[in-house]
Each structure stands twice: as structure tokens, then as C-alpha cells.
Amino acid sequence: MSNIEQLRKWCNGVWLATADASSDIGILAIDSRSIERPENALFIALKTQLRDGHNYIQDAYGKGVRSFLVSHSIDASDLAGANIVEVKDTLAALQQIAAAHRKQFHIPVIGITGSNGKTVVKEWLYQLLNNHYNIVRSPKSYNSQVGVPLSVWLMGKENQLAIFEAGISQPGEMEKLERIIQPTIGIFTNIGEAHSEGFMNTRQKINEKLILFRNVKQLVYCLDHTELNQCMVQYMHQVKGGKTEEPLQLFTWSVKQAADLRITQIIKENGSTTITGIYQGREAAIQIPFTDDASVENAIHCWCVLLLLHISQQEISAQMKLLQQVSMRLELRHGINDCTVINDTYNSDLTSLQLALNYLDQQRQHSMHTVVMSDIMQPGRRDMDLYEEVAASIGRRGIQRFIGIGPALYKNKTAFRKNKKLRSIFFKSTDAFLKNFHLLTFDKEAILLKGARVFAFEKISLLLEQNVHQTVMSIDLSALVHNLNVFRAELSPGVKTMAMVKAFAYGSGSYEIANLLQYAGVEYLAVAYTDEGIALRKAGIKMPIMVMSPDATSFDRMIAWKLEPELYNFRSFTAFTTIAQTLQVEQYPVHIKLDTGMHRLGFNPEDIDELAQKINESPAIKVASIFSHLAASDDPAQDAFTLHQGLCFEQMSSVLMSSLTYKPMRHLCNSSAIVRHHGLHYDMVRLGLGLYGVDSSHLLQNKLKQISTLRTSIAQVRDVPAGDSIGYGHHTIAAGDMRIATICIGYADGYFRSLGHGNAYVLIHGKPAKTVGSICMDMCMVDITEIPEAKEGDEAIIFSKNLPVTQLARWAGTISYEIMTSISQRVKRVYVNEE
């Protein structure tokens, strides 16, 4: 562990305040909301387009951090006992610190880049090699300018091998990452279209990525990527011309031509793939439990690396059969007895545990938090030291119950029982837990499942998760944050964001979305009705909430739950102020809606003078914001009308504000207007459908991610002879022999009846299967005649990133809003998070 003085020298910083220059630094923190071991943390105040870390220094200090890295002078009067180092650029300083830290270690370091497959190759190498090496690796997909230095900082004296991935989006970035990672072995997975926007062409992108390997000793890649191979030949000429040290050793593989590992046969059957190749004149084969092309490519890259590291072919073949699906996502599901289950049974190490515990911390809808954890598969650490650290981390977070499963945890249970506030229970195996499950109570709590795969925690997950409809909509929370940041990048500094979570958050689940938005720093939420707002308050949402369609009979409940009403006419204004006066509240925040041309709700221009007078005569209220609604901001043909609305809003709101002794916020823009009408942003914008991955203006659509995937399963497969009818009404007659699948979704789930009779298709094994006959209430039929591999139990995709919800809307003759808000609440929601 290095001290703050050493880090200061590494990044060429200067002292602004020095309390203890010998303070040890073990944690580099960039997020004040989740800091592990604050007494050993250095909080780095990063500046981004969206946020300035300097604004969160006081928060970090309040949580116990006493060492800070800043890029400008700050007031240290409230930071007694703090070490503060100033640098020109905190991101550059973070990278310098990580690069200097990396130089302390002389172990093999594998650097991975490419368009796709980086994370899977990294995780599979970990699965294949962790019996040979104590491995440190990038957490999840930490491959950015920030993620890479945070990953490299995890290197410790106990490690024998490091595996880091590197991703870039524009020229100049890889040079910085190479200085940090300093790989000795390189893997170039492939080249594709991902992140191409910042490059002139594919060759420029390849050459930029190759910078990662300028000092490696060995480099693995596939000869069959033509442009990659051409650039590699040129790259080798440059390397030979400028290198006097040990020459670079290329390790190539190919399906088409001679290579170090020549792949001669690929056979896919029964859910697995056998790959045969020739290496050093000898035939060898591996079998993997996957059949998709991406997995085949990723496995061959891993095979090459294991050969380079002199792992025997016998062991390689044995280990490849055991490869397991890589999921870098936490899954949040509804559990039994109103519980929330966080399933993170894909990784088992200290780093992933801290990330999972951070996510558990965010589940404020439950006051009770439980961790169910297996032994940690982390070689190189004494069990006693390892579980002392785990117990300390559990204790710091105020978790109420810990259930440990496995012989190592059972043996080291004393470490947990030192904490008198923690209820701890231990079982020697998963089977022992399952046998005693009926003796345990899980009720209205957040439960984190954190288990190594060998402990088969999926059995526990089945017991804890609520049994509901087998049609599932998965919501990618990290994609939602991505979309939020895409729109935030359109805003000028200081412009706030109100996020719309009405209508069950456009079908995505109100609390889960609201909780994430609260954590992401959105300033306001908006719901349609009072009951929606109360449900959020009951679930622990504390941020301001505006109710857009308040019922006068619920005004007293709104005040009781601190919800802020939209007032749009004198009737609603009088009703609310009367209730507020009766309840003896003062300066209660309200939002004034103006009608600027949509003619739905709002005060008219001729109402403004009287409205101003009434506001000034009503001490019970205070105007938090003045707003209006644009009718056609997405349509360029209606820009004149949109600008007319903007002018009306400016005139009406200015008159109203001139009569007030304070300055309310103003907001006018919806999602489309955020990107199309920057001059109308005012103090705040309202982000609705764009947050969920749909841009009605089409200007940002390529940057957005669809956050939802709706999937169901095949209940039955049958052969229908020519001339037979299919479905209700005897209307659809098979023109020829057909093979159809009945899938478990119908109009009661939100799959419109208009999508029947071939008007839409679903994806099965990535192939389109058109609807056949009428859509039934709970099921529908699709044509799988051209998908012979389809079988009962297989997945059918209703919409996803490959079959956008906008396409369903076109087929149904409606808009995306209606499709998303029509998904029935009986459809199970599963929340995943890659962050």
C-alpha cells in the first residue's frame, strides 16, 4: 500500500493541505456515494461534461475520507485533518498514479482489445487459469479512460497474472491506456462497427487499437479478419524497424489458412461445439458448451493464450468443457413476501462483492438487508484474513443479516459473530441451506445472492423469487443511465432534469427506475397521479416529485407525503390553497401550468394578472416552477408553431415572474425538444420517452439504447398439415404443411390483437417467426417452418435491441408510448445492471 506522499509525487501534485503525508492509500474513489474503507481512500474529484467531482468533496469528507485529489483550489476550512493534493487535471493524475503503481509489478499482464468479446475472453481466461495463477482482472467492463486505471490499481503483491481490457472511442486514447496497462501479452479479438463514430475508417481504428501492443512480447489474433491482418502486417514492419529488444511473437489462428493454430473443423450439435485444430503438427480438439459463433471465436482466442502459457492440451480440453456463461449484470427481481432479490451469482471475488454491496445499499425501499454468500474463490489469501475483510465490509454497511454457505465460511464464522448487531447463520453447503430453508424467514427485505458457481445458487434463487407469468421483460438499468447521460450532454451547465416516471415508468417499473434516477442525481421526478407518488414515497424515494394530474380530493394526502401538485386553472388553485391553509402549511411548493397552444391543460394568457395576484395573496404556497407543454417539438414541419409556443411561454412566464419576489424555475422542453430546440431549455427540461431509448426526433436514436427486452417461451410445437385451420374463427388456413409454435404471450400481456395474421414476427434463434392466426388472450401462434432447430421451451423475443419497440408500434399502427405502457403488470420485470 502506497502513502499519499508517494501518490503526490507520481502525479506531480502540490500540497494544498497536509495533515498526515504518511497516510496509506488503498482505495481510489471517484464516487462519493459508495466508498469502501474511507480512512484509506483517496477521493479523486473528476470533472466530466455532466458533473464536477469537486462538488462532492464535502459528501466524501462526511463519510470519513481524509485524502483528496483536486484540480483547483478549494476552501479547506471545513475539511479539518484532510490531505489535499492539487494537480492540473485529475483524470490525467489518476492515470499517472495507476501507471506508476503498475511499474512496481513484474508479472505477466494480458491486455485485450477489439470491437467485441473483450469481457468474455477476460472472464473465460480467469475461469481457465485461476487454478494456476492468483489473478487480478478488470471488474466487469472497466475498459475506459477511467475504468482502466481503477482496474490496474487493484494489482497487489499476491497476484501472479493480470488480465485487463481496453476500449477506445477516438484517436489518442489507446496511448494513455497502454502506458497504464503495460501489457506483456496481447489479444486482439476482432474488428467491427462498435465505437466507429470517432474514427475516419476501420483502418484508423485498428491502428489506434494496435498501440496497446507496442511493447508486448506475444500477440494473439485471427488471420481471417482481412483488414485487421493487413494492418497487422504493416504494424509488424514498423515494429521490426524500431525494435532492438526481443522481437514480437505473433500467435495466429485461422479457419481459412495456415496459422500457428489452424482450425480444421467446427461441429455444432446438442448444445455444444467441438473445435478441432492443428498446433505444432499435432491435431487437438476442444469442446465448449456453446454453439454461437461469438463464443467459438472467444474460446479459440483463449485456447491460443493457454498454449502460449504452456498449459497442457489435456488440461485445456478438460477445462474448456467447464466454461460457463459470462454475465456481467446484476439482476434485480421481485421475490417472495414482498422481498427484492439481487442475483449476482456470476463472480466470486472481493472486487465484485464490493460492487454488489454498493448496489444493495441503493435498495432503500427495504429497511432490512440480508446477504446470502458462498465461500469466495480467491486463491492467494489466507481464509482468516479474507473473511475478516468481508466481515468488516458487511459491518460497515449496517447489513442486518448474513447467511454464509460453504466450508470456509463455516470455519471462519467467528469473524462475523464479533459484530453483535449482525445476525449471522452458517451452513456447510448449499444443500444444507436448502434443507433448512423452511426454518428461515424472508419478509419485506432486500436480499443479495452472491455465490460462486460451484455452489449452485440458482437453486436458492428459485426458492426466493416470486413465481409469476413466464413472459419476462428485462430492463437494463445501465442502458437507462446511458440514455440519461446522452440527453444531459445536450444541456448547458446548470440546466436541471425532471424525469417522467408516470404510467409505471412507461411500463418499466416505477420504483426501480425512480430509485436509479435518484441515485443518478436527477433533480425532479414527475408522476401522473397522487397514488403513484405515494407509492414512491413509501418505497423510500426522497427527491422532489411533481404530480401532473392531481385530483382535488387527494390534495391533503399530497401534502402529507410531500408531493408537489401541478395547478392548471383557478379551480385547482383555489382547491389546493384552501386545503393548504386548513392544514396550516406555508410556502408549499406548487407548479404552475400555462397553456401556450396545446389546449389541454393550463392557465390562459388572459388569466396571468389575476393568477399573479392570487399567488401573492396566498402565503400557503410558493411557486417552484412555471411550465408548459410543447405539442409538436419532434416535427420539423411544425417548428414555426413550436417557436410560437416558446414565445407565448416566454411572455406569459415573464409577466408572472415579474410580480413575484422570488424566481421560480421554468421548463418547457420534452425529450424531442431537448435535442431540437436548445434555445428553449430554460432552467429545467423534462425527459420522458427518450430516457427509455426512443427518440421521436430521430436525431439521437443511434446514440440511445433500448432499455427493455420482452421475451417469452415456446409452450408447444406442432405440425399442421395443409388445409387445416389455425387459431380462433377458422379464418387462417395452412396453405402448405406448416410447423407452428405456440408462445406464452397474448393480448392480456399487452401484445396487440392487430399484430396477428402475419402482421408481426418474433425472433426465435435470431430468426423471424411470423404470427399465425389471431392473437389469443394468453397465447399466440407463430410460423417456425423455416426454423427447424426451434423446440419447446426455447426463447421467443417480442422486442429487443434487434427488434425495436418502434417496429412493433409501426406494425400495430400506434406509437411506442402505447406499446410500452400496455405491457401488463402480470408480466415479470427483471432489472439488470452492468455498472
Side-chain angles (χ1 to χ4, degrees), residues 375-439:
D375 289 351
I376 291 180
M377 305 287 103
Q378 189 147 330
R381 292 284 303 272
R382 286 197 319 157
D383 282 352
M384 183 182 299
D385 296 336
L386 178 64
Y387 293 113
E388 286 280 357
E389 185 172 342
V390 172
S393 185
I394 295 288
R396 275 192 294 269
R397 296 170 186 275
I399 291 164
Q400 291 92 342
R401 181 166 60 164
F402 179 84
I403 299 175
I405 297 174
L409 271 168
Y410 193 89
K411 183 178 179 180
N412 289 276
K413 55 188 173 185
T414 305
F416 297 86
R417 289 186 171 165
K418 291 176 184 177
N419 182 353
K420 302 303 180 185
K421 295 181 179 179
L422 177 69
R423 292 170 52 206
S424 56
I425 311 166
F426 296 87
F427 300 92
K428 290 183 178 179
S429 66
T430 302
D431 285 341
F433 170 86
L434 296 173
K435 287 177 183 177
N436 289 276
F437 181 79
H438 65 286
L439 300 175

Side-chain angles (χ1 to χ4, degrees), residues 650-675:
E650 174 65 29
Q651 293 171 344
M652 294 170 69
S653 61
S654 295
V655 171
L656 186 57
M657 290 176 68
S658 67
S659 69
L660 302 176
T661 58
Y662 54 90
K663 184 181 179 183
M665 292 185 294
R666 291 189 287 180
H667 48 106
L668 181 62
C669 286
N670 53 14
S671 297
S672 295
I674 290 172
V675 60

Side-chain angles (χ1 to χ4, degrees), residues 202-236:
T202 301
R203 284 178 175 267
Q204 184 191 26
K205 184 165 66 169
I206 293 171
N207 289 327
E208 176 70 18
K209 287 178 178 289
L210 283 171
I211 292 172
L212 179 63
F213 308 125
R214 61 185 177 189
N215 290 306
V216 300
K217 297 175 182 177
Q218 297 159 316
L219 176 55
V220 174
Y221 80 102
C222 176
L223 291 171
D224 299 338
H225 294 285
T226 305
E227 280 194 285
L228 172 57
N229 193 39
Q230 291 170 349
C231 290
M232 191 67 73
V233 171
Q234 183 180 3
Y235 177 73
M236 287 301 295

Side-chain angles (χ1 to χ4, degrees), residues 65-332:
V65 176
R66 291 297 179 267
S67 296
F68 300 90
L69 188 67
V70 301
S71 58
H72 60 72
S73 294
I74 62 173
D75 182 5
S77 59
D78 292 332
L79 304 173
N83 299 306
I84 306 174
V85 175
E86 182 181 3
V87 294
K88 289 183 178 179
D89 182 331
T90 47
L91 175 58
L94 167 63
Q95 295 172 342
Q96 289 170 323
I97 289 169
H101 178 72
R102 161 69 181 91
K103 288 180 180 177
Q104 298 181 110
F105 303 97
H106 305 284
I107 61 173
V109 175
I110 299 174
I112 308 172
T113 195
S115 294
N116 300 291
K118 298 184 289 295
T119 300
V120 173
V121 169
K122 177 199 67 186
E123 292 299 316
W124 278 0
L125 284 174
Y126 178 80
Q127 292 180 28
L128 293 163
L129 292 169
N130 66 11
N131 289 331
H132 288 270
Y133 300 92
N134 183 308
I135 301 173
V136 59
R137 69 196 194 280
S138 309
K140 299 196 174 185
S141 300
Y142 277 32
N143 57 32
S144 66
Q145 296 293 303
V146 174
V148 166
L150 293 178
S151 300
V152 170
W153 178 257
L154 298 175
M155 294 179 74
K157 60 183 180 181
E158 71 277 7
N159 299 128
Q160 300 164 317
L161 175 69
I163 311 174
F164 301 122
E165 53 179 294
I168 57 171
S169 57
Q170 60 186 23
E173 291 184 338
M174 191 60 88
E175 186 169 2
K176 298 174 184 177
L177 299 186
E178 190 279 334
R179 286 198 295 265
I180 301 167
I181 298 174
Q182 301 164 46
T184 59
I185 300 171
I187 305 172
F188 202 132
T189 58
N190 52 47
I191 195 69
E193 294 302 316
H195 306 295
S196 295
E197 309 84 44
F199 300 93
M200 292 184 295
N201 51 48
T202 301
R203 284 178 175 267
Q204 184 191 26
K205 184 165 66 169
I206 293 171
N207 289 327
E208 176 70 18
K209 287 178 178 289
L210 283 171
I211 292 172
L212 179 63
F213 308 125
R214 61 185 177 189
N215 290 306
V216 300
K217 297 175 182 177
Q218 297 159 316
L219 176 55
V220 174
Y221 80 102
C222 176
L223 291 171
D224 299 338
H225 294 285
T226 305
E227 280 194 285
L228 172 57
N229 193 39
Q230 291 170 349
C231 290
M232 191 67 73
V233 171
Q234 183 180 3
Y235 177 73
M236 287 301 295
H237 284 304
Q238 294 172 351
V239 170
K240 288 178 181 178
K243 222 173 185 180
T244 58
E245 305 168 12
E246 184 179 346
L248 169 63
Q249 175 192 353
L250 292 181
F251 192 108
T252 60
W253 67 270
S254 175
V255 177
K256 302 176 180 178
Q257 56 188 298
D260 293 291
L261 177 61
R262 173 70 165 93
I263 304 302
T264 56
Q265 191 176 55
I266 298 175
I267 300 176
K268 300 178 180 182
E269 58 183 2
N270 299 324
S272 64
T273 303
T274 300
I275 308 168
T276 304
I278 297 173
Y279 175 63
Q280 294 184 344
R282 296 184 179 181
E283 186 175 85
I286 60 172
Q287 186 182 78
I288 61 171
F290 306 96
T291 57
D292 59 287
D293 292 341
S295 292
V296 170
E297 182 180 58
N298 293 333
I300 297 173
H301 279 120
C302 292
W303 190 3
C304 295
V305 174
L306 268 61
L307 291 171
L308 271 177
L309 294 174
H310 307 295
I311 306 297
S312 72
Q313 182 57 46
Q314 182 179 2
E315 181 177 350
I316 293 173
S317 298
Q319 290 296 317
M320 285 286 184
K321 292 179 181 179
L322 304 177
L323 283 178
Q324 295 175 329
Q325 184 77 39
V326 174
S327 176
M328 305 311 296
R329 298 173 166 189
L330 296 166
E331 292 186 346
L332 189 149

